[in-house]
Amino acid sequence: QVQLVESGGGSVQAGESLRLSCAAYGYTYSTTCMAWFRQAPGKEREGVAQFCRDGTTRLADSVKGRFTISQDNAKNTLYLQMNSLKPEDTAMYYCAAAYRRWDGTSWGGEYDYAYWGQGTQVTVSS
């Protein structure tokens, strides 16, 4: 069984930074990719960043140049460094793990990922 636990969310002003962490517990080595999603009130969940076991990464167009995804294998932790935050980044952020990857503009849906964390709230005020 795999458990994902997010942390690092909070309330910040526009232009500030946050770093989200997703600690993975259990046997995660069989999963292919991990990803960060976010969901704002009244909106659909959207993919933000993907990190795959081969080291490749992908970012949504809306966060390119501002967000960075990385992984510390020794700590079994996925990170999302968020710089130059904007009010439109306000959302609940979730990490997820899957046994496959997506490319292009596809991120897969909720049921395509085997494991999800409980989420961490990010609020950016102007």
Side-chain angles (χ1 to χ4, degrees), residues 28-34 51-54 97-101:
T28 62
Y29 297 103
S30 62
T31 56
T32 301
C33 296
M34 294 188 71
F51 186 102
C52 295
R53 196 159 296 282
D54 62 0
Y99 293 105
R100 58 158 291 182
R101 66 186 301 141

Side-chain angles (χ1 to χ4, degrees), residues 16-18 20 36 38 46-49 57-70 79-86 88-90 93 122 124:
E16 294 184 341
S17 300
L18 282 173
L20 305 184
W36 286 99
R38 66 185 181 187
E46 62 174 352
V48 175
T57 61
R58 185 163 65 100
L59 296 168
D61 288 343
S62 58
V63 304
K64 282 181 180 177
R66 301 188 298 121
F67 290 13
T68 304
I69 187 170
S70 61
Y79 299 102
L80 184 68
Q81 178 66 44
M82 305 186 296
N83 299 328
S84 302
L85 282 162
K86 303 176 180 180
E88 50 264 45
D89 295 318
T90 295
Y93 283 71
V122 172
V124 185

Side-chain angles (χ1 to χ4, degrees), residues 71-83:
Q71 184 168 335
D72 185 331
N73 290 326
K75 296 181 178 180
N76 220 16
T77 300
L78 183 75
Y79 299 102
L80 184 68
Q81 178 66 44
M82 305 186 296
N83 299 328

